Amino acid sequence: MAPKLPPQHPLEHSTATTAGQAHEHDDHHHYGGPGGIKRWLLTTNHKEIGSLYLIFSLSMFFIGGIFALVVRAELFQPGLQLVQPEFFNQMTTMHGLIMVFGAVMPAFVGLANWMIPLQVGAPDMALPRLNNFSFWLLPVAFGLLLSTLFMPGGAPNFGWTFYAPLSTDYGPPSTTFFIFSLHIAGISSILGAINIIATILNMRAPGMRMMDMPLFVWTWLITAFLLIAVMPVLAGVITMMLMDINFGTSFFDAGGGGDPVLFQHLFWFFGHPEVYIMILPAFGIVSAIVPTFARKPLFGYASMVYATASIAILSFLVWVHHMFVVGLPLAAELFFMYTTMLIAVPTGVKVFNWVTTLFRGSITFETPMLFSLAFIVMFTIGGFSGLMLAIVPADFQYHDTYFVVAHFHYVLVPGAIFAIIAGVYYWLPKWTGHYPDERLGRWHFWLSVIGVNLTFFPMHFSGLAGMPRRIPDYALQFADFNMVSSLGGFLFGASQLLFVAVLIKCVRGGEKAPAKAWEGAEDLEWSVPSPAPLHTFETPPDMTSQAPQRH
Amino acid sequence: MTPVQRTVTRTVAALIGMYFFAFALVPLYDVFCQVTGLNGKAANQPRAMSNEGVDTSRYVTVQFITRSSKGLPWELDVMTRQLRVHPGQPTEVEFAFTNKSDSASWGRTVPSVTPSEASLHMRKLTCFCFQEQRIEGGQRVAMPLVFQLTRDLPSEINTVTLVYTLYPVENKDNVSQQVQRTWREGGDA
């Protein structure tokens, strides 16, 4: 840590002091740093780094999506048509890894970079150079991960959960590269989390109390603490794997006195908080969008904060529900079943608050609102199938079937991904100064909703009928469900091209957006011009005089 | 120290703490499993026979499953796949190790008890699984397991399954202190 870290890029700083506050509103290009590629390599500006994160995440979303489509194409019909089972396993593994660590997590960090300083009235993130470093670790990590596809023996093929001994004893030689890339990606998330915590705790505008913060900031603060708590555990687990593979230790090797089940405990001790890392910021985004388009303040702000914190705490007490079938005493199964079901309570509080915010609201259905409403409905469907999976005796049947695949895709695709897309549509006017194309946005929304449900809803049925996960071939009775799933998958994948079209169109032009782009939007980011100038809140806004926003 | 530096120092300290906590979980898990008998880990040391008498009113079925693992050209057979015992009754079962390769090698068997609650009630007086073994190429060796189920075995447990998995051990022929061979030698395979 450099003790004398300047809050801004030195070159920008000098421009900023001469340009001053007066120029902030009419001059969007008072950038004094290097141009071209160096500008992006060296940038310390939270908005530019936020954009980099979002662009990176979008490209990973498409790469991971192509892997998913390879899987769906193979599963279009029973029998082996397109790929060999070994490659199929690599595709399911890489799809999971890329989507979790490369698409969803960086997208949320990108939104945090863009919006948290704007929402708390800070000029930038607390540690701008660290911010640059944590972004540029990501292309390295995922370049390395993708390069394993071209290595002898192929890419990792043991599923995104990389259970030992599948990954240690039976994994391909590229497993060591996979471990290294995950280490780098983990360091990136950890550094991002440190930065977000430091920003939220120390850089809020004078007079902004913790309970005045927008919920996106709150949910990200809690997410960042989860990251700090569990990413080191992931780093520890993969370090143990590395040592088991290369240095002859036996952490997970029963022959040497280790225990493969220990791997599952350690992995899910990280893994369950990890799935909340991927959903809590989504709650924050939806909690910003729903009140805006219902033109009502959010119902139950404080209960939202406490519900988020409860979910985060409970997430450390439920990990064993991923491993009900490894052989556990009855007491453990009961304990983890009840704690898992307990999570439905704070989650229910959230859904109740969103619905109550909508009640008697003056609702309009712009694209961000459409995605948020779809989020509420379909995330809840995913929550309900989660409750079914929490029931131990039922889980014995559902375990490792497509029912599980349906469950977690409902909470991740129309959950996390829809919330990210909603957030992008919501904040695009602030980023680009133009409204996104509403007509294209609606097409994107409806095709995505139809595609997602066609893909994942039949998986509930094929799972209940007994179709196992991660298998390139299947019995004939699952053929129709799988064909529908595959068609839906290709529809969903193709409709994301519309999203890219909307983004490009919006960056290039479109209807000009005012500072307060949406009628009901009340948070601090809507007080700066659209598009947001490179530097905002160099003089912090005074929140002490403002009427309490939420109470 | 600025407030930002203080926050960063604390988060980094928490990070380092959690990293070492992950490693600390490994021994903690072992201790937890030994104390509670979770995970079917039976004691790795011979235990004295308990003389609490035999509970003739009750039968428990004990099953044996043997498995080989990769990298060790051995076969493990059990002479009696399943038997019914009374709690408290010491029982001997013969296992046969066969080295199917031409050269001598080292291996060990790792036991696991199902249901895991039974592992606390499984007393092994003698077990081939307590030591690593060396078997000459082509040799077949018979080794005993003597076990006793304690009388306080929970009444809902009617079947106990013991799984023995073979694992290779690094060649220890150069190590001077060899494990003492206490088992009886069988004929050639």
Side-chain angles (χ1 to χ4, degrees):
Chain A
M1 274 167 284
K4 287 184 183 116
L5 207 60
Q8 287 142 353
H9 195 288
L11 289 169
E12 293 165 44
H13 201 166
S14 58
T15 343
T17 41
T18 50
Q21 189 72 15
H23 284 242
E24 190 182 295
H25 296 284
D26 49 34
D27 184 8
H28 301 153
H29 293 282
H30 58 150
Y31 174 75
I37 186 86
K38 270 186 106 177
R39 169 173 182 177
W40 295 101
L41 274 174
L42 301 177
T43 180
T44 54
N45 181 286
H46 74 100
K47 301 184 183 77
E48 291 182 341
I49 294 175
S51 302
L52 285 174
Y53 264 110
L54 289 169
I55 293 164
F56 174 81
S57 149
L58 185 66
S59 44
M60 284 298 132
F61 180 57
F62 276 94
I63 292 174
I66 288 166
F67 294 166
L69 292 184
V70 172
V71 168
R72 278 319 329 165
E74 175 55 50
L75 293 172
F76 185 66
Q77 283 184 320
L80 292 179
Q81 279 92 24
L82 296 170
V83 295
Q84 290 307 303
E86 295 77 19
F87 189 68
F88 182 91
N89 290 345
Q90 294 174 28
M91 287 292 101
T92 52
T93 306
M94 293 294 270
H95 164 69
L97 290 169
I98 296 274
M99 287 303 195
V100 168
F101 296 103
V104 175
M105 288 171 70
F108 281 132
V109 181
L111 291 172
N113 257 295
W114 249 105
M115 300 322 298
I116 285 178
L118 287 179
Q119 290 195 323
V120 300
D124 203 310
M125 297 294 277
L127 307 152
R129 289 187 197 173
L130 192 74
N131 205 8
N132 171 295
F133 182 58
S134 45
F135 170 73
W136 283 107
L137 284 174
L138 281 180
V140 177
F142 287 92
L144 198 63
L145 184 61
L146 289 170
S147 74
T148 59
L149 278 167
F150 306 103
M151 289 180 185
N157 56 5
F158 29 69
W160 87 274
T161 52
F162 47 97
Y163 276 13
L166 271 182
S167 55
T168 50
D169 282 359
Y170 303 97
S174 63
T175 309
T176 303
F177 288 89
F178 149 77
I179 291 172
F180 189 46
S181 77
L182 215 53
H183 265 136
I184 301 175
I187 291 169
S188 163
S189 319
I190 284 171
L191 297 181
I194 293 179
N195 213 339
I196 286 167
I197 293 175
T199 308
I200 297 173
L201 293 186
N202 300 300
M203 311 264 293
R204 294 195 308 279
M208 184 186 266
R209 292 159 303 180
M210 295 290 274
M211 289 310 266
D212 295 333
M213 299 193 311
L215 263 169
F216 180 64
V217 179
W218 253 118
T219 51
W220 240 115
L221 180 66
I222 292 165
T223 304
F225 277 112
L226 284 181
L227 280 165
I228 297 287
V230 299
M231 288 314 269
V233 177
L234 173 71
V237 176
I238 56 179
T239 308
M240 291 176 207
M241 273 175 66
L242 186 77
M243 293 198 281
D244 270 11
I245 294 171
N246 297 304
F247 306 122
T249 58
S250 316
F251 285 102
F252 308 127
D253 179 10
D259 192 334
V261 178
L262 172 67
F263 176 90
Q264 299 185 24
H265 281 292
L266 289 178
F267 178 82
W268 286 115
F269 185 77
F270 145 80
H272 201 80
E274 166 70 16
V275 303
Y276 292 137
I277 287 165
M278 292 191 284
I279 201 66
L280 294 185
F283 292 161
I285 295 169
V286 172
S287 302
I289 295 174
V290 168
T292 299
F293 295 96
R295 291 166 182 78
K296 271 177 68 188
L298 184 71
F299 182 85
Y301 169 84
S303 68
M304 282 298 216
V305 173
Y306 295 130
T308 311
S310 322
I311 293 173
I313 292 164
L314 282 173
S315 75
F316 288 99
L317 301 173
V318 298
W319 79 93
V320 175
H321 69 213
H322 295 272
M323 33 194 298
F324 276 148
V325 299
V326 296
L328 297 159
L330 188 66
E333 286 177 340
L334 283 173
F335 174 80
F336 287 105
M337 178 169 90
Y338 288 134
T339 50
T340 304
M341 289 179 165
L342 203 55
I343 292 188
V345 176
T347 315
V349 168
K350 287 183 164 294
V351 174
F352 177 83
N353 286 348
W354 291 321
V355 173
T356 315
T357 307
L358 292 168
F359 181 65
R360 289 191 169 171
S362 168
I363 306 173
T364 49
F365 296 93
E366 285 88 345
T367 317
M369 184 62 160
L370 288 174
F371 274 102
S372 299
L373 293 174
F375 168 93
I376 297 172
V377 173
M378 287 194 272
F379 176 78
T380 307
I381 293 177
F384 281 138
S385 58
L387 271 175
M388 290 170 71
L389 284 161
I391 303 166
V392 176
D395 182 76
F396 287 179
Q397 187 199 342
Y398 306 154
H399 185 84
D400 257 347
T401 68
Y402 261 80
F403 190 81
V404 179
V405 178
H407 158 68
F408 70 73
H409 279 93
Y410 259 91
V411 289
L412 281 174
V413 185
I417 302 272
F418 271 27
I420 291 165
I421 294 174
V424 168
Y425 275 104
Y426 181 59
W427 284 310
L428 263 177
K430 185 54 60 194
W431 301 340
T432 65
H434 309 120
Y435 284 103
D437 188 314
E438 195 57 34
R439 198 174 53 89
L440 272 180
R442 274 160 205 247
W443 272 101
H444 174 215
F445 170 73
W446 285 109
L447 290 176
S448 296
V449 167
I450 294 167
V452 158
N453 284 298
L454 273 182
T455 313
F456 299 115
F457 211 79
M459 288 183 185
H460 289 115
F461 305 126
S462 49
L464 287 179
M467 178 167 163
R469 292 172 71 179
R470 295 173 175 148
I471 298 284
D473 191 5
Y474 48 85
L476 289 177
Q477 69 264 33
F478 305 127
D480 293 345
F481 285 138
N482 274 285
M483 192 175 276
V484 174
S485 282
S486 290
L487 290 172
F490 277 90
L491 176 66
F492 179 73
S495 57
Q496 299 321 303
L497 295 172
L498 280 177
F499 185 43
V500 178
V502 171
L503 291 175
I504 292 172
K505 231 183 136 191
C506 187
V507 171
R508 286 202 172 157
E511 193 193 332
K512 289 258 179 287
K516 185 175 165 178
W518 309 106
E519 192 192 3
E522 301 295 347
D523 287 329
L524 202 51
E525 74 263 31
W526 305 106
S527 66
V528 304
S530 299
L534 201 58
H535 299 294
T536 39
F537 296 127
E538 283 169 312
T539 316
D542 192 5
M543 305 296 286
T544 38
S545 54
Q546 251 177 270
Q549 264 179 299
R550 302 173 201 286
H551 302 289
Chain B
M1 210 189 243
T2 66
V4 170
Q5 283 172 337
R6 198 174 312 125
T7 312
V8 172
T9 317
R10 283 179 189 168
T11 32
V12 171
L15 276 169
I16 296 170
M18 284 307 291
Y19 186 72
F20 287 104
F21 176 65
F23 282 88
L25 283 172
V26 178
L28 284 176
Y29 174 78
D30 277 345
V31 171
F32 187 75
C33 286
Q34 260 170 22
V35 173
T36 59
L38 287 184
N39 231 20
K41 285 188 170 176
N44 234 354
Q45 297 290 327
R47 297 172 67 181
M49 188 159 69
S50 93
N51 293 316
E52 51 185 12
V54 178
D55 178 4
T56 49
S57 65
R58 184 177 165 206
Y59 272 113
V60 180
T61 305
V62 182
Q63 300 174 322
F64 299 96
I65 297 175
T66 56
R67 289 194 297 211
S68 321
S69 84
K70 62 159 191 155
L72 190 66
W74 290 13
E75 211 173 65
L76 177 58
D77 298 303
V78 56
M79 304 305 172
T80 322
R81 292 226 155 259
Q82 179 169 322
L83 46 96
R84 295 175 80 205
V85 299
H86 295 298
Q89 168 194 353
T91 313
E92 179 171 334
V93 182
E94 290 277 310
F95 285 73
F97 289 74
T98 315
N99 184 345
K100 302 205 297 186
S101 74
D102 295 333
S103 53
S105 47
W106 281 85
R108 68 168 299 170
T109 37
V110 175
S112 168
V113 183
T114 309
S116 54
E117 293 97 314
S119 60
L120 286 178
H121 306 278
M122 169 65 71
R123 295 175 81 91
K124 292 182 184 172
L125 316 177
T126 313
C127 183
F128 49 85
C129 57
F130 294 150
Q131 289 137 349
E132 294 166 355
Q133 282 113 20
R134 180 179 190 275
I135 298 184
E136 302 294 334
Q139 203 184 23
R140 181 178 170 88
V141 188
M143 282 181 255
L145 159 73
V146 183
F147 72 92
Q148 187 182 29
L149 283 168
T150 53
R151 290 189 62 167
D152 55 355
L153 182 76
S155 57
E156 72 270 15
I157 298 180
N158 297 313
T159 306
V160 176
T161 308
L162 278 132
V163 182
Y164 289 97
T165 311
L166 276 172
Y167 286 96
V169 176
E170 266 175 73
N171 194 329
K172 294 204 173 174
D173 285 346
N174 301 329
V175 184
S176 55
Q177 197 190 4
Q178 284 205 2
V179 185
Q180 212 185 347
R181 300 177 63 167
T182 53
W183 59 81
R184 295 190 290 276
E185 300 273 329
D188 280 353

